[in-house]
Amino acid sequence: MLLLVLMGSLLSACGGSSTTTNPPKDEPKNTEPAKTEEPAKENTAQTPKDGGTITLGTFSDIVSVNPLYVSDTSSGDAEILIFSSLYDLDRQANVVVEPWSLAAEPPQISEDLKTYTVKLKPEAKWSDGQPVTADDLIFTINTVRNPEVGSPGISQFEHVESVTKIDGHTVQIKLKQVFAPFLYSLRLKPVPYHILKDVPITELKKHPYGSKPEQTVTNGPWKWTEWKQKQYLSFDADPNYWGAKKPHIQKVIYKIYADQNTEVQALIKGDVDSVSAIPVTQLAAVQARDNLNVILAPGPLYEYMGFNFNKMNFDNKESFFAGQKTRQAIAHALNRQGMVDNILKGTGKLMNSPFLPGSWADPAETAVVYNYDVELAKKLLAEDGWKASTEGGILEKNGVKFSFELQYNTGNSRREQVAAVIQQNLKDIGIEVKPRGVDFAAWQEQNIVPGKFQAILAAWSLNDPDPNAESILSSKFFPPNQNSGWYKNEKLDQLWVKGYSVADQNERKKVYAEIGKEITTDLPYVFMYQYGTPQGLNPRVKYAEEDRPEPGLAYGYMFRMINWWVE
């Protein structure tokens, strides 16, 4: 699972309006204008052409492209361009070997589902000419699973017992127990052992690898050549790329805008070729343009309002959200359907648990549903000890007013609007909310990772179809791992383990029904809605039907981009 900007870059935001553009101050070198050559609304694939530049738009800068630490969407976008995965996903989210995958063949899995043998393609190389070897894979897995490293991917490899080198290109991975989602864990992107082997564990995160292009050795179709912070990143096709299938597009520019609205205006003007998250308020305007294509479908994304349970984040040294009835009251006070109808304009659907509606793990009737009910919310707050104060109508308990800060990332117009609705909804029941937008990169590093906030409006992108959410909702993964709200529920801790310790999907489904009931009763989050991120494309971007973007996958707006070309 990735903290998108969903947390920020993550991406998807809807809403806001603006008619002015605000492109980066400096323009990247050697770019080509993203001019529309034909008015067609459909992508008519022709013979692929080599060369040219594609310009992608975003409203959040990267944090680091080091695969050991990527946990936001913008960094993930860049990572996809410059790093090859061990295995990839097809359109149906099956784990497969592609021509650009590092693996030579599907993994060999033992009958007890505890041993995985992986073979690397012998021709795979790093951008400095060194081969990709078993040492790289072993180093990456062992580093990620080391708690001292602080990698967001630790939950994917904590069940590994040993990683053994069979030969220079073959690795055997043994698990301590059955871990049902492990096949998806093998979609990792290795880092170069020969570059990082001597870096002390505690210094890996601050190492220039991943933050300085000239020191970041990669193995993907494009090389990272330039980064002007908060302005743009540049990537050039690697002339020595090892894959049999070479990228058609010569240069990729990742241009960073102040917010989604200026980003969309850049798409309309032709300054960028692709925007992965068009605000809903501008969707109709983009769809009305004959020279732009729009791809829209529900994605593997859900928004949530997250509570922090660490008392150190509150002046009175007690979390406002410690009471279960208080959290339930907040859930009843939020007009979530109104947000879907009026802000998302029907492009989302209500969520009542961390499992996507209609998926095999959807708890359906076992999940508690929090309908919009102001009077019930007030009743629950009173039962939890909150009383009306004499000043301003704000509730208080033990002499402390119920007033908290709600953080979200700046530039995300959807969240700006949703935060305003939350502020008004909770004011109606006597709670003061102070919305605060924070630059995404700073928010990620200073608030999300260390778990320093009172409440957040954020989202998760589900990277694979497995429902295991232990990494974000288990007390094993407190900060700097992904349980940033310091949530602890011993029953849930045990249920997550039970859910992934069997392989039979029918048996797992029963466990996730239990999880759905427990988690929607206890509410570490208010689960808001699943939503889609409308992608806008300039028709000069071409691809064959089998390579079209796939909104059903995380990062699906870059699906099989190695095969795209530009007119």
Side-chain angles (χ1 to χ4, degrees), residues 352-355 361-364 366-368 492 495-496 509-522 527:
N352 295 306
S353 76
F355 311 123
D362 182 0
T366 66
V368 179
L492 269 176
L495 284 172
W496 292 124
K509 183 175 176 63
K510 297 175 184 177
V511 179
Y512 288 103
E514 290 184 68
I515 291 175
K517 182 177 181 180
E518 179 64 25
I519 205 166
T520 57
T521 299
D522 202 40
F527 299 98

Side-chain angles (χ1 to χ4, degrees), residues 250-328:
Q250 174 62 33
K251 192 177 190 70
V252 180
I253 300 298
Y254 197 59
K255 196 178 288 191
I256 303 158
Y257 289 85
D259 54 50
Q260 287 180 301
N261 297 316
T262 52
E263 181 188 2
V264 171
Q265 289 301 313
L267 176 69
I268 291 174
K269 289 177 61 180
D271 291 339
V272 299
D273 296 306
S274 176
V275 167
S276 63
I278 301 170
V280 170
T281 52
Q282 295 202 41
L283 181 57
V286 176
Q287 289 174 320
R289 297 274 175 163
D290 290 337
N291 63 336
L292 294 176
N293 300 325
V294 175
I295 299 172
L296 173 61
L301 316 167
Y302 72 84
E303 196 122 63
Y304 66 92
M305 177 182 172
F307 305 118
N308 201 310
F309 298 89
N310 188 334
K311 61 184 181 181
M312 300 308 295
N313 289 297
F314 300 84
D315 292 339
N316 63 327
K317 298 299 183 284
E318 184 65 41
S319 172
F320 290 133
F321 313 111
Q324 186 185 86
K325 288 186 177 181
T326 293
R327 303 192 296 275
Q328 293 173 342

Side-chain angles (χ1 to χ4, degrees), residues 358-374:
S359 66
W360 67 261
D362 182 0
E365 66 277 359
T366 66
V368 179
V369 177
Y370 293 88
N371 295 316
Y372 180 46
D373 191 329
V374 173

Side-chain angles (χ1 to χ4, degrees), residues 45-343:
Q46 302 166 358
T47 302
K49 298 179 180 179
D50 292 337
T53 297
I54 186 172
T55 303
L56 312 178
T58 182
F59 64 97
S60 293
D61 204 345
I62 67 168
V63 178
S64 170
V65 299
N66 183 339
L68 298 174
Y69 294 104
V70 169
S71 64
D72 66 277
T73 300
S74 286
S75 299
D77 289 346
E79 181 191 38
I80 286 171
L81 296 170
I82 59 181
F83 286 97
S84 297
S85 298
L86 182 60
Y87 291 96
D88 287 277
L89 289 182
D90 66 11
R91 196 173 296 280
Q92 289 72 42
N94 299 307
V95 176
V96 295
V97 176
E98 296 281 16
W100 45 87
S101 305
L102 293 172
E105 61 186 40
Q108 298 175 20
I109 307 174
S110 64
E111 290 186 9
D112 65 1
L113 305 180
K114 293 183 182 180
T115 302
Y116 292 70
T117 303
V118 174
K119 293 182 179 295
L120 294 166
K121 289 173 179 166
E123 66 269 23
K125 288 183 172 57
W126 295 100
S127 55
D128 63 359
Q130 294 296 310
V132 177
T133 68
D135 292 328
D136 298 315
L137 188 55
I138 293 170
F139 174 77
T140 301
I141 294 175
N142 285 336
T143 302
V144 169
R145 69 191 185 104
N146 185 335
E148 294 183 53
V149 174
S151 171
I154 187 172
S155 64
Q156 299 296 309
F157 296 99
E158 64 159 341
H159 304 291
V160 171
E161 181 178 273
S162 64
V163 190
T164 305
K165 181 177 179 179
I166 304 302
D167 60 42
H169 292 91
T170 308
V171 171
Q172 186 179 81
I173 307 166
K174 289 189 176 181
L175 305 183
K176 303 170 188 174
Q177 64 171 84
V178 172
F179 181 56
F182 190 68
L183 189 59
Y184 295 109
S185 302
L186 293 179
R187 294 165 48 235
L188 81 161
K189 293 177 172 62
V191 294
Y193 171 71
H194 68 284
I195 297 294
L196 300 176
K197 63 179 179 178
D198 296 324
V199 180
I201 290 295
T202 55
E203 296 179 18
L204 273 172
K205 192 169 186 178
K206 296 181 179 179
H207 192 273
Y209 184 87
S211 60
K212 292 188 176 181
E214 66 276 9
Q215 295 190 43
T216 305
V217 175
T218 58
N219 57 18
W222 291 273
K223 293 194 302 183
W224 189 20
T225 53
E226 192 177 9
W227 181 19
K228 289 281 189 179
Q229 293 191 4
K230 298 186 179 181
Q231 295 180 46
Y232 65 87
L233 296 89
S234 295
F235 309 90
D236 291 312
D238 185 351
N240 299 314
Y241 172 58
W242 57 269
K245 178 67 179 178
K246 311 295 184 183
H248 296 298
I249 297 171
Q250 174 62 33
K251 192 177 190 70
V252 180
I253 300 298
Y254 197 59
K255 196 178 288 191
I256 303 158
Y257 289 85
D259 54 50
Q260 287 180 301
N261 297 316
T262 52
E263 181 188 2
V264 171
Q265 289 301 313
L267 176 69
I268 291 174
K269 289 177 61 180
D271 291 339
V272 299
D273 296 306
S274 176
V275 167
S276 63
I278 301 170
V280 170
T281 52
Q282 295 202 41
L283 181 57
V286 176
Q287 289 174 320
R289 297 274 175 163
D290 290 337
N291 63 336
L292 294 176
N293 300 325
V294 175
I295 299 172
L296 173 61
L301 316 167
Y302 72 84
E303 196 122 63
Y304 66 92
M305 177 182 172
F307 305 118
N308 201 310
F309 298 89
N310 188 334
K311 61 184 181 181
M312 300 308 295
N313 289 297
F314 300 84
D315 292 339
N316 63 327
K317 298 299 183 284
E318 184 65 41
S319 172
F320 290 133
F321 313 111
Q324 186 185 86
K325 288 186 177 181
T326 293
R327 303 192 296 275
Q328 293 173 342
I330 290 174
H332 277 299
L334 298 185
N335 186 358
R336 298 182 300 143
Q337 187 62 56
M339 297 174 193
V340 170
D341 294 340
N342 301 316
I343 298 177

